[in-house]
Structure formats: structure tokens, C-alpha cells
Amino acid sequence: MSPQSDRPDLLFPSEPSQRAIARELYALVRDRPLISPHGHVDPGMLADDVAFPDPARLIIVPDHYLTRMLLSQGVPPAELGVPSVDGEPVETDGRTIWRRFAGYWHLYRGTPSRLWLEETFANVFGVRTALSPATADEIYDAIAAQLAQPEFRPRALFERFNIETLATTESPLDDLGRHAKLAADGWGGPGGRVLTTFRPDNVVDMEFDGWAGNVEQLGQITGEDTGRYAGYLAALRKRREAFIAAGATSTDHGHPTALTLRLSEAEAATLYGRGLRGEATPEDAEAFRAHMLVEFAKMSIEDGLVMQLHPGAVRNHNRWLYARHGRDVGGDIPQATEYLHALTPLLDAYGNDPRLRLVVYTLDEYTFTRELAPLAGGYAALYLGAPWWFLDSPEVLRRFREAVTETAGFYNTAGFVDDTRAFCSIPVRHDVSRRIDAGFLARLVAEDRLPLDEAAETIVDLAYHLPKKVFKIGSSIK
Amino acid sequence: MSPQSDRPDLLFPSEPSQRAIARELYALVRDRPLISPHGHVDPGMLADDVAFPDPARLIIVPDHYLTRMLLSQGVPPAELGVPSVDGEPVETDGRTIWRRFAGYWHLYRGTPSRLWLEETFANVFGVRTALSPATADEIYDAIAAQLAQPEFRPRALFERFNIETLATTESPLDDLGRHAKLAADGWGGPGGRVLTTFRPDNVVDMEFDGWAGNVEQLGQITGEDTGRYAGYLAALRKRREAFIAAGATSTDHGHPTALTLRLSEAEAATLYGRGLRGEATPEDAEAFRAHMLVEFAKMSIEDGLVMQLHPGAVRNHNRWLYARHGRDVGGDIPQATEYLHALTPLLDAYGNDPRLRLVVYTLDEYTFTRELAPLAGGYAALYLGAPWWFLDSPEVLRRFREAVTETAGFYNTAGFVDDTRAFCSIPVRHDVSRRIDAGFLARLVAEDRLPLDEAAETIVDLAYHLPKKVFKIGSSIK
Amino acid sequence: MSPQSDRPDLLFPSEPSQRAIARELYALVRDRPLISPHGHVDPGMLADDVAFPDPARLIIVPDHYLTRMLLSQGVPPAELGVPSVDGEPVETDGRTIWRRFAGYWHLYRGTPSRLWLEETFANVFGVRTALSPATADEIYDAIAAQLAQPEFRPRALFERFNIETLATTESPLDDLGRHAKLAADGWGGPGGRVLTTFRPDNVVDMEFDGWAGNVEQLGQITGEDTGRYAGYLAALRKRREAFIAAGATSTDHGHPTALTLRLSEAEAATLYGRGLRGEATPEDAEAFRAHMLVEFAKMSIEDGLVMQLHPGAVRNHNRWLYARHGRDVGGDIPQATEYLHALTPLLDAYGNDPRLRLVVYTLDEYTFTRELAPLAGGYAALYLGAPWWFLDSPEVLRRFREAVTETAGFYNTAGFVDDTRAFCSIPVRHDVSRRIDAGFLARLVAEDRLPLDEAAETIVDLAYHLPKKVFKIGSSIK
């Protein structure tokens, strides 16, 4: 698939000399396979390969970028079919949801959501009609008709999207059965097309609902005594091995802050016991999370898994939304995130060890030049993850390059990560990133700061070689 | 008046394709009436409609943007005629002040003050000569001559400026007599041309000079017993009703931080009592201010007044200046402002209630993408106010759009607010905002991110419909 | 020397109308003499005027911008010849270091280091071959051959570089012998080509290794009793006089934060005594540093030395690097820096006194519009130093102008400062600054915000007159 053929100059600088260079650079990566080393696609979707539901349930209902914008204008998520946790009835008719959404299309002007949807409509479903209340039904019907065709099954789309590797994200409590099915079908396993990622938050974060029960379950799965801290560590190691066997090349850690801490084994065991007895304070929970990041860095050096850190989200800030609709529906908000002092204990321990690869993300762009670029440009273990979530947008992707390149260069960044659960939006998200990088490099060339041949090599590295290398995709992780 | 006819491409991007689109978009709003929902023009000026004083007293003396720049280069405000509070003599000759100022004109290169003055000279007074020591007298005389003409009286200018609605800002202790006069003349009252705004800082902030006396006066005005907290709340409600009757559609709150807090009535009453007895600590004062913001949000839901919050200024930071010349003469400096945790209590209480409309401003642009855009894009009650004060400038107006649009869209912003006491600068301030929005939208169009017809609709919304809607201008506020 | 003749449009905006104006403005400053009022060139190099060592030792080994980038990709500094403090052997062969470095040249794409090196090769050494493993030897040999020639001795280069004034930086413990030699040769002394700068950190910061010994030595040098606080102050005053006699026009203060504090003499003496007895806590050390900044401001008013403050670096953050290679080898990282409240005590005391000139730098660009520009635009004593260290790059130089000009104008900034120990990079660093200013001013002109004649005057001021004036170069400092 050659995406965006309708809008060949989408997102390129309009100044003609820069645009000409951007086109030339973009042409080098437009058709490169997609490397998606981190995201939240449901592996069951690809394991079972069943048809997608109706357009509203596929595209609107699960996309909290979309539903939160309507909430911000007073439209309750229930009217868009977002499932409730309290039994409150929600809209269930796909077409009604779709029509309702179309009435608010102007709200998305200038947002990446708008761009992602338009390009998904055009390039995935061949729908080039502009969305409006008048065209809502026509577009709904066109997409619904396509979704019924076998070439719109997940695996067929995966191939059409030219995805080379896609990593999903699972808890250590996941039995990895869906990944086993994928491996059996020739789609998963080490070096396969679909990989898993080890995300242990629900057994690490004592403030996670049901943590103690999760930890107990972790013990049952692994046959380790997670009633003791040593058994807990052993259980985590065992699950990491199981994830590696299922194809994982990386871990992921979503924490409120970037705090790291080196506790003695005795101190860690004490905190752990307090957690199990339900006596942990918020400070205990934070200290334990911080300590475990250093433990996980140590494990990464041992077993080779690349480590990812996603700090800075205040989860469920919108309490009304959380009470009615639960987690991950748009109620999280970023907070100021300090990296320098927070990461010091981990960096003191392993920051100069090239065997560790720690990819750090941020929701706080006001750390780009002050902390993140200097750290990534000065520690062997540290890489900068692509702008994430609220920052995964054309303007910020551009500002990211403008801010971090001068101190960290291109090669201490980790390549684009779509980080999405919206499977159909994966091509456009990567395409946007490639276009922005083409535009940024075009400016360097146009301002005589980089020769064209080096810009050409760089854009291919950024789009393809760098994420494969940093995330150890397609190679042995050890 | 068609402003800027001498500089048709002022502030537009110079890249020809963007400039052509910007011209086209700007043409749609150039002559739209001005909506000024928040500012500090003296209502007496319009009520009495007397001629302005000399050019220096009109333009230089009261403009702290101008006098602080000269102070920063060692020129004391007394030399520019800024009144002293300690009896120290200050320059009183308008022409001398004007000449002195002209000698430092180069200091303002690249500043919005320079732009505002040039366009005021050209479009209000028809003076197109460049200011310099050599031309200072000529310009002074030309402006002075105009000011003597009846068509340069405030009301005549108001009409020439094409202002549809202008809100001034008054304390609850104001008797609203000037607004009564305006209403009697067909210029004020609900739905009128000149509205008031309820700004209760001097009866809310215990650290305000004379707070206890102000509160006592509030009781006298309303006939409520402000010796008790319940009477204080009742008095505030009465004054809000009086302001609504005088045309107010909004309140305004200028606080050092964005902190909000929900105290029980008993706790609030205790703090209040401590304040009255002069025993309140700075922490008490901060808690009481924070609590009152939540109280005011509740009142806004009841009476329909739109709520504005202007946090983040450290007032009278320059103590020498404060001691000699008092408040509001250029000695305030912004401080880092946290919104996410600070607003949580208010948002928990009323953030998802579309009946509340809370317009939040900032002096700290390093919160745009991290806190403000995610909050405005996720809470029904929250709108982002235009860049304010130190940030009310072409570059920041542009960065504001670049930063917040991707997460909050255009329709969670509240439209331009000039926030000025410099009456003659109102047209150019709005014009600058319209030009910057035209340039920003032109880039989106030129980069194929937004069709021209939607950009055209958007710019008219931003310049006209959106501020009217958000601030309930021209409609019933309930 | 006309730098960059090979790349006439380097760093200029590519939009043709802006580029044409930028060329015109740049032509006005391209050949202006360089004013370098702050940097770390070794004065002995110029005093002795001996030939430089081999290319690797001249260019790579001492440049921590270069070696930290390789460390960030897992190449230990020892392999690049960075001296060790622990006796660990390091690479000593210049050619081997050079070849090794050439193999990682792609890491520097988009960095200022790349630009500085390319322009140094081309304009200082006439080498226009692109660096690569294949060309490494050729370039090494070409540069080595040049370095053997008398016209590549330091003083000859100083003249070829068209440097008018260069300030080095010395501790009060320095005997200023090298500057005496320079003065004797007609190169130094008051008003001379090479000046010194008074940098007292190692006798002010109790956390500095060997502080107590340094203070004792300060007493011996000056004949004052530095066992007492009063004697310590007297000794500092004496050394300042000696520095002034050697040509100094400024002081420099490198502190972890911008904190200032006014202690009574008794309080300061108590802290001082605690420091001498080795009993000072980190809080004591911070308080003493903060207090001394106010003391130094007072001394500056007395003796006329311009005061520079460089806050915000966490020194030796990379502890592994510090343990093996010591200070100033790339292990420092910026931290968030607060200015508003930190500077309040100093500004309260002397902020409105035009006799004080305090140039403040930052490593935290997220203070530009919020704190630094408002402070510089509102206090007579305050000037903004050029973007520094991690921020001394084309993109940040541009963002600095875009951010601070609107509030502080051009004339509250202090002019470009190269702040480098890499002597051969001085011309290109100033050239980059002049080009970025030309581009910024060209945009103002192209957007009709500033007439060309005023832009022309401004760029000459920024490049030449302003740093001379702010730093009192070429004039009496009193």
C-alpha cells in the first residue's frame, strides 16, 4: 500500500525548495515495511483473525482521543457507546454513534485524530468523501461493506499495511495463549511478525487495583513462592523467560514518575511484605516501583530484554469518567516529569553499560533540551522514545527533532513507535512520522546543514534500521 | 475602519503560498466587529465621553509595557511621568515625556509594544511618520491636534473601532454608577455595548491591602453581615446579581496560583474568622482563596456567570518600583504555574458539568501541551484563554495554536481577549490575533492538513462567534 | 578571514525573500571583529605561543561535546585518549584516535559539533574533504602539516580570526602570570586583546574539592587573614583589584542554582566558620554561595566588574565518568532552574541600580518567556546572556530570539558569548550566531515587522557594539 497517494505533499513544508527535498527523502521510506516495536493492539484479534465489528465499534468507541474531545464539549461518553462500569445504559447502535460523531467533526480540525481518520478512511477503506452529517451514512455503509470482506480481516490488513513486526503488550499474568496460536500459525514466536512485550505494572505497582491478588496469581503461574520477595523476583524472571520464548524483545513500565531507587534486598523485602499485608503507604508504593525499575534494569542486562519507561501520566484524573467508564477512556492527564534526579540511581548503577538499553518516553516536552537530550547524549544505556500519546502529533514530532537532535543526534533516538490500540491507524501514524522526519531533514539540507546523501541515509535509518536495532527486532536479543 | 491598510501583509508568513492563503482568510475577518470580553478600560471614560489628555498621558504614562522597558535600561519611571506614591516629584510635561520616550524607541524593536504603537499612530491618528527624536514633536503635535476633535472622543472611537461589545472589570465594591450612566445612554446594561465583569480579588484575598475593611464595606453595600462567613457568601451572591443586572456575563479571578480547595463550611468559616481578626497566615490566605474558587464555580453554575482565572503573577516583585509608584506599573513577574493538581478539587466537583464555563489563562507557556491542552480537551467546563500579558504577542499567539490545537482543537479555546487598559490599542491587538490565526490556518492549508473552506469557517469562529458563545455575549447568561 | 565562503547561505532561511534579506544583513557583520567576553581558552597558549599538538589532541581529546556523544553509543572515553585519573591506560596515538572518531561521524548529523568541525576544517585549515573512515588519514595529515607552520601558532590564528578581545577565565588563586606575560608582549592588560575574568567558585563553594585549602591559599596570596570572614572578604576584594589591573572587566559565577540570599555579617561569618571547620552541611554551602552572590553584586557596584551567573548544571552527574576521567569531560547535565524567587534577594538589594550589570545565563530554555525575559525587561541591572553550552546551537539561538525579544527586546541581551576552550572553533561559533540573528531579523523584515534599516543597525549592535558595551570592553570599567 502506498499511503496518502491523494495528498502527496501532506505535512511537507510548503517552501518549494524544502518541499522538493522532502518529497525526495520521503520517497525513500514511503514503501519501507513498518516496524512497530511498541503498541496495544489486541493479539487475539490477529490470533483469531475474525472480521471487525461495525465501523463505530471499530473506529470510535474504543478511541479515547475521539471520545474525550466530545466530552470536553459536553457530550457524555455513554452517547458514543463507551461501555459503562456502573450499569448505566450506553448507546449501542453503531449507526447512531457514527451519526452523532459526524455532527462534531469540526472539533477535530487541526488534530492528529482528524488526520488519522481521514487517511484511514481514504487509504484503508478507499473512502474519500469528507465526513459530515450529510455523508455520515454513506461513509458508514461503505466501511461496513468493506469490513465484511475477507481482505479486511486483521491478518489480510496486516499484510496490506506492510507491517514487518508488531509488538503487543501483555501482563506477566497473561498465559500468552494468543501468542502461542500466532506462533503455531507461523505469525508469532521469536523473530516472528507478532511479538509480545513484558509489562509488569499490575504486579509491580502496589496501588494497582488487586495487586496482592495479582502477585498471588503470579506465584501460581510460576510455581514460585510470591509470598516472599525472593520468590517474587524469581517468578518475574521466569515470566520474562516465557515472554522471550514467545518472541518478546522488550519490557515496558508505565509509572507515575521516573523515580528509580536502589534498596537493599532487606529493605525491598520489607516494603514488599508491607504491600502484601495491605499496609503500604503511597510513599512505600512509589519506593517499591522505583526500586523495581533498577531490578528490572539488572534483569535486562541478564536476559537481554530492552527496557521501556513511560512515566508521567496521572491516571484517572477525571474521576467522574473513571467512576462511570473505568480506565483508559481519556481521563488521564500528563504531569510535570523530572528525569535527571529521578533516573540517577539507575544510571549510577547501569547507565554506562551498553548491554542495557533503556528507552525513555515523555509526556512533558518541556524536558527535551534540558534533561532528555543531555541524558541520552551522555549515557550509553539511554535512548529517547518517540513523542508519545498527547505528544504523538505532527507539530510535536517536529519539535522533538528540533529540540533533541542538536544534543543527542539522531542515533540516540529509538525510532517511531505508534503505541496504539487502533489497528487501522497504524499505517498513517508511521506515515506521519516519516513525513515529519522528511520535512525536518529537508530543512537541514535546504539550510546547507547536511548533505542530501546523508539525509537520505538518515531517513531510512530512522524509519527502519534504527527501531530494528534498538528494539532488537529480527535478531537474537542476547 | 480597515486597520493596517499600509502594511497589508503584516505578520503573515512570507512563503508565497502560505501568504496568499493567509490574505484570503484574513479578508474574512478583517472587518468583523470586535468582541472584547475581558479588559481593563476605565468605564468612566466611556460614561463621561470627555476628550483624552495629551498624547504622553494617553499613550505612555499609563502603559507599563512601555515604562518597564525604559526602567530595564536605567530610566526611572518618574522621568516618564509615572505618578509616585511617596510624593517624589515626577515629570509632568507631556511633551518632555514624549521626547524622552522617542529617544529610546530602538529598545522596542521586535516587541508587540512597538507594533501596537505604530499601528495606533497610523490607523487611529493617521500618523505614518516613523518615531525618532527628530520627529517626536511633529507626531506629538499631530496626535494632540486630533485628540481635540470630537471624533476622537471615546465613544466616537469606540464606534470607529467597530467594537461590538467591551467588558470592563470592577470590584464588588464598585457602585456600578458608571455602568448605570452607560445604560441610561443606551451604551450599557445586559446585552449592551459596554459590560462589567465581577472581579472580587480585593474582598477574597486576605493578603490584599485593606481586605478586612473591604469586606466590611461589602457588608454595608449589601446589607449582609459580613462579620460571619455565611453573610459574606450572601453578600457576594447579591453583588453578582447586581453585576448581572448591569450587564456582566463573567467573573474574573487573579490569583498567585491556580490552587483550588474544597473546605467544609466550618473550615472555611474558621479561616474567614482568622482573616477578620488579622490572624491569617499566608497559608490560610492561600487556602481561603483556593476554597473560594470552588465556591465561585458553584455560584457560576447557579447564576450563569462565566468564570475566568488568571493565575501565576507574582505581584510587585520589583519592590523598589512598588514602594515608589505602587501597583500595576510593570513590577509583576510570572512564576511557574501548576494546573493539573491545583485544579483537581474544582474539576472533581464541577469539571464535567457543562453549565460551568471556566476560562483559564496562563503566564507560563511551558504548560501548554503538558497540562492546559489535555485538561481543556478532557473536561466539559474548561476553556483555554488567549495568551495573556507577557504572552500577548505575535510569536506566542502562534506558538499557542501550534501547541494546544493538536490536543484541544480550536473549539476549547475561548477566542482572543485584549485584556488592556490602553483603549486606543484595542483594534491593533485584535488585528494581530486575527493575522496570526490567519497565518497558522494558512500553514495547515498549505501543508494539506485542512481544506480551505474549513479554515475559512474556523477563522470566523475564532474571531467572532467563539468569544461571543463562550462568554455569553449578546445572549442570556442563564 | 571571511568565514564560510563555501557555504554562503549556511543556516539562512530557505524561503527566498527571507534569505535575500538575511544575506544582506549578514554581510554587514560577517567581517566585524570578534568580541569574546567570556570563554575558557588557556591563556598560556597565547602567552607562550607555541605550536599546537597533533590534530586529535587539538580537536577531539579535549572536546567533551565530541567524546560524550561517543560514550552515549558505548565508546569509552579512554579509546579517544581522554586522560584518566585512576591510572587506567588510554589511547595515546593521535592518528588512532582520529581514525576511530571518523568511524562515528554520522552520529553528529544535525549537531552543532558537526557544523563547528566542518567549518573549522574548511576555514581554519582549508580542508574541504568530507570526513569519513576513508578520508580520515588524508585530513589528519593535512591538518598536522598546517599545525607545523608558524601561521598556525595561536597568536597568528588570533589575528587571522579577527578577534578584537578575548577574555579567559581564572581562579582568584591564579597568579595571573600568563596574563602578565601577555601584557608585557602588548597582548594583555586593561584594554588589551586578551583579558582575564574573575571566577571565584573554588574559594566560594564549600562543596568544591579542597575549598578550605583554597581559602587558606587565598589568604597567603593576599596577606589577609582568611581564617576570619572579614579577612576573606578583604582578600576577595584585593584579588578583584589584581584582576582589574590585569584587564578583567567581569566576574563569573558557576552555581548549581540561581539562589541568592542576604545574610547578616554575623550569620555569614558563622557559616564561613562552619565551612572552615569542615562542619558545613549542603544547606550551609548553598546558603553561603547564595549570600556571596549578593556580596559580589555589592563589590561589582564598588569596583565596576560586570557580574556573570551561570547556574543550573549538575556537575559530574555521570559518576562512572567522573571517577575515571574527572571533571569537565561531558558528565554534567542541566537541571530545572528557577530564577524568579531565587534572584529576589539580590534584585531587591541592587536590581534597580544601573551601576550593577548582572548577565544571567541558563541551561533551561523553559524559563525564557516565563522568567528570564520578564526579569531582564523589568530590572535595570539584569541582562540575558546568550544561550549556553547544551543550548549553544542554531535552533536554540533562534528560539532564544523568538522567545525573549518580545518582552525584553534586543538591548537587554548581552551579545554572543562563545564560552569555549576550543580556540579554533571561535570563528565559526560567532559566525553561527551572526547567521541566526540575520535569519531572525530577516523574518521580522519579511513579515513587515521591522524596517530593513533598523534591522541593519540591530544586527551590528548585536554582533559588535552590544557585547562591548555590556561587558565594558575597550572602556574603563568604573
Side-chain angles (χ1 to χ4, degrees), chain B residues 132-174:
Chain B
S132 74
T135 62
D137 275 357
E138 172 194 336
I139 295 174
Y140 185 88
D141 291 335
I143 294 176
Q146 307 248 38
L147 289 176
Q149 307 299 318
E151 60 265 39
F152 285 84
R153 294 272 172 88
R155 289 187 187 178
L157 286 179
F158 191 102
E159 294 192 340
R160 176 146 75 94
F161 291 170
N162 197 16
I163 301 174
E164 184 173 311
T165 304
L166 174 79
T168 68
T169 302
E170 274 74 47
S171 149
L173 305 180
D174 191 282

Side-chain angles (χ1 to χ4, degrees), chain A residues 230-246:
Chain A
Y232 169 74
L233 291 184
L236 289 170
R237 282 198 170 86
K238 275 196 179 168
R239 291 309 291 153
R240 291 170 69 102
E241 288 307 322
F243 272 65
I244 291 170

Side-chain angles (χ1 to χ4, degrees), chain C residues 136-217:
Chain C
D137 275 357
E138 173 194 336
I139 295 173
Y140 185 88
D141 291 335
I143 295 175
Q146 307 248 39
L147 290 176
Q149 307 299 318
E151 61 265 40
F152 285 84
R153 293 271 173 91
R155 289 187 185 176
L157 286 177
F158 191 104
E159 294 192 339
R160 177 146 73 95
F161 291 170
N162 198 15
I163 300 173
E164 183 173 313
T165 304
L166 175 80
T168 68
T169 302
E170 273 74 49
S171 150
L173 305 181
D174 191 282
D175 67 4
L176 299 178
R178 296 165 301 181
H179 284 275
K181 170 78 160 58
L182 284 161
D185 292 356
W187 276 73
R193 299 193 209 184
V194 184
L195 311 176
T196 182
T197 302
F198 181 78
R199 168 105 172 206
D201 298 353
N202 66 351
V203 295
V204 167
D205 181 357
M206 295 173 178
E207 297 181 309
F208 209 98
D209 278 351
W211 174 78
N214 291 343
V215 161
E216 193 182 337
Q217 192 185 340

Side-chain angles (χ1 to χ4, degrees), chain A residues 7 10-11 14 19 68 72-73 109 112 114 317-320 333-335 364-366 393-395, chain B residues 15 18 340-341 344 348 352 366 369-370 374 377 379 406 411-412 443 446-449 454 457-458:
Chain A
R7 298 160 93 170
L10 178 68
L11 292 169
S14 66
R19 178 163 285 189
R68 80 192 303 274
S72 82
Q73 290 282 314
R109 288 172 188 161
R114 154 102 179 212
H317 185 266
N318 193 324
R319 295 192 200 173
W320 174 89
I333 308 273
Q335 66 182 339
D364 181 356
E365 70 169 294
Y366 312 112
S393 63
E395 297 292 323
Chain B
E15 195 278 301
Q18 289 185 33
L340 178 72
H341 298 291
T344 295
D348 280 351
N352 296 284
Y366 312 112
T369 57
R370 186 184 58 218
Y379 280 98
E406 294 185 315
Y411 293 89
N412 285 303
R443 183 161 71 84
E447 295 178 354
D448 213 359
R449 293 157 77 174
E454 293 194 57
E457 190 179 290
T458 303

Side-chain angles (χ1 to χ4, degrees), chain A residues 135-286:
Chain A
T135 61
D137 275 357
E138 172 194 335
I139 295 173
Y140 185 87
D141 291 335
I143 295 176
Q146 306 248 40
L147 290 175
Q149 304 301 317
E151 60 266 39
F152 284 83
R153 294 272 173 88
R155 289 187 184 178
L157 286 178
F158 191 103
E159 293 192 340
R160 177 146 76 95
F161 290 170
N162 199 14
I163 300 173
E164 183 173 311
T165 304
L166 175 79
T168 69
T169 302
E170 273 74 48
S171 149
L173 305 180
D174 190 283
D175 68 3
L176 298 179
R178 296 165 300 179
H179 284 274
K181 170 77 160 57
L182 283 161
D185 292 356
W187 276 73
R193 299 194 209 184
V194 184
L195 311 176
T196 182
T197 301
F198 181 79
R199 168 106 171 205
D201 298 352
N202 65 351
V203 296
V204 167
D205 182 356
M206 294 172 179
E207 297 182 308
F208 208 99
D209 279 351
W211 174 78
N214 291 344
V215 161
E216 191 181 339
Q217 193 187 338
L218 179 68
Q220 290 160 359
I221 292 170
T222 55
E224 296 288 343
D225 175 11
T226 55
R228 296 176 310 111
Y229 175 65
Y232 169 74
L233 291 184
L236 289 170
R237 282 198 170 86
K238 275 196 179 168
R239 291 309 291 153
R240 291 170 69 102
E241 288 307 322
F243 272 65
I244 291 170
T249 70
S250 70
T251 72
D252 185 34
H253 306 273
H255 284 203
T257 74
L259 194 72
T260 63
L261 201 58
R262 284 184 92 176
L263 300 176
S264 70
E265 205 181 312
E267 290 168 323
T270 300
L271 283 185
Y272 184 75
R274 237 180 267 160
L276 287 184
R277 293 191 305 274
E279 298 166 359
T281 64
E283 291 70 30
D284 290 339
E286 174 74 347

Side-chain angles (χ1 to χ4, degrees), chain B residues 7 10-11 14 19 68 72-73 109 112 114 317-320 333-335 364-366 393-395, chain C residues 15 18 340-341 344 348 352 366 369-370 374 377 379 406 411-412 443 446-449 454 457-458:
Chain B
R7 297 159 94 172
L10 178 68
L11 290 169
S14 65
R19 178 164 284 188
R68 78 192 306 275
S72 81
Q73 291 282 314
R109 289 173 186 160
R114 153 102 181 211
H317 185 266
N318 192 326
R319 295 192 202 171
W320 173 90
I333 309 272
Q335 65 182 340
D364 180 356
E365 70 169 296
Y366 312 112
S393 63
E395 298 292 322
Chain C
E15 196 278 301
Q18 289 186 34
L340 178 71
H341 299 290
T344 295
D348 280 351
N352 296 285
Y366 312 113
T369 56
R370 187 183 59 220
Y379 280 98
E406 294 185 314
Y411 294 89
N412 285 302
R443 183 159 73 82
E447 295 177 355
D448 214 359
R449 296 157 75 174
E454 293 194 57
E457 190 178 292
T458 304

Side-chain angles (χ1 to χ4, degrees), chain C residues 254-333:
Chain C
H255 284 203
T257 73
L259 195 74
T260 63
L261 200 59
R262 285 185 92 175
L263 300 176
S264 69
E265 204 181 313
E267 290 168 325
T270 301
L271 283 185
Y272 185 74
R274 236 179 267 160
L276 288 184
R277 294 192 303 275
E279 297 167 0
T281 63
E283 292 70 31
D284 290 339
E286 174 75 347
F288 190 72
R289 285 189 300 258
H291 165 75
M292 286 305 298
L293 286 180
V294 182
E295 281 297 318
F296 285 128
K298 192 171 144 202
M299 293 183 199
S300 274
I301 288 175
E302 293 163 7
D303 65 21
L305 286 173
V306 176
M307 188 173 172
Q308 297 176 85
L309 177 59
H310 284 91
V314 174
R315 299 284 171 180
N316 311 313
H317 185 266
N318 192 325
R319 297 192 200 172
W320 173 89
L321 187 61
Y322 178 61
R324 270 159 199 72
H325 298 283
R327 298 171 64 91
D328 297 327
V329 290
D332 306 339
I333 308 273

